[in-house]
Amino acid sequence: MVFLTLFNLARNRGPDKYWRVQQQLRMSWHFRTRTRTCYRIGMNVVNKALMYSYNGRKLKKEQMKYLWNTRIEAGAGEHGLTRRELLEGLARSDILLDKKVLSELAVYEPRTFQSLTEIAKKTMSDTRVGKPLNVLYEK
Amino acid sequence: MAHHRVQQWATFARQWWVYDATWQCPFRSAPAIIKHLQGKHKPIYHPTNDCGDHVVVINSKHIAMEGDLWRTFKYSHHTGGKDSEDPDLETFSENVPDEILKNLSGQIQQVMTVPKGIHEYTEEEKAEFPALFDWPQDHIMMRSGPSKPKQ
């Protein structure tokens, strides 16, 4: 609210109840029963929804990373590489593509992804230390 | 005119894979098979997308179990119901049916290298192999028969 006079500003104590109710109703318009219309009944539901959305913003990032990793693993596996070998090879080749872009390339541009795996393979075989690539498990 | 932008040949098809379980550790083979059943070997994988494939495991009676696990390992499965019991494992003791074999389109890579048995080497190869000493006449090269049970 805008106060043009100093007297009204001093008299104002906190947010007006009308505006507080309207703020909550804007967030509860898609609920069911009286939680969408009544302020007092919908108070806990709106707070819980805000908690869920706050946590979901973190969970979404984790789940998307998990999905990207799975897709990169699948795309690299088609060309005989693991995800770690592909990412390590690209990093050593100074190809700075993140996991989101790599997973999209694996789905929508498989030829581009294949050329990236070949670059990673060559770099890893040139700068390899330790066991060779794609070796079966031997006991 | 072909729309190459939307070409999705066999992208969402359900494929059939074969896995040869000869001399393979079942506990290491399971993740490799699960990956194909869930569709995690495809770049289009999504948890809500039904993109898994079929897997046919052959020679499952020739798997390599460690130690005495052939005798001691229990495959327990309990549904929690009142009268539920541990179900018997269904296996094709005979050959795989032809209507299944004709669907196969690929093979899953084995997780372990199949070792070559001592009986598969020829006598010439055995003679050429460098030896530090000669075995006694009554020495048995390979253990046969069941091992002792665990106490």
Side-chain angles (χ1 to χ4, degrees), chain A residues 66 71 74 78 107 136-137, chain B residues 28 40-43 45 110:
Chain A
Y66 178 75
R71 286 182 166 181
E78 288 181 348
V107 177
L136 290 177
Y137 175 81
Chain B
R28 286 182 195 276
K40 285 188 175 181
H41 63 296
K42 300 178 181 177
Y45 170 79
Q110 289 181 324

Side-chain angles (χ1 to χ4, degrees), chain A residues 3 7 13 33 62 66 75 82 92 101 107 119 128 133:
Chain A
F3 298 102
F7 175 75
R13 295 193 184 280
T33 65
E62 295 174 7
Y66 178 75
T82 62
R92 291 186 192 179
V101 172
V107 177
I119 292 172
R128 183 179 62 221
L133 289 179

Side-chain angles (χ1 to χ4, degrees), chain A residues 66-67 70-71 73-75 77-78 103 106-107 134 136-139, chain B residues 28 35 39-47 66 109-113:
Chain A
Y66 178 75
L67 179 63
T70 311
R71 286 182 166 181
E73 180 82 52
E78 288 181 348
S103 64
V107 177
N134 197 17
L136 290 177
Y137 175 81
E138 294 188 38
K139 196 170 181 183
Chain B
R28 286 182 195 276
K35 192 168 77 171
K40 285 188 175 181
H41 63 296
K42 300 178 181 177
I44 60 162
Y45 170 79
H46 193 271
E66 195 174 347
Q109 193 179 25
Q110 289 181 324
V111 293
M112 297 169 75
T113 51

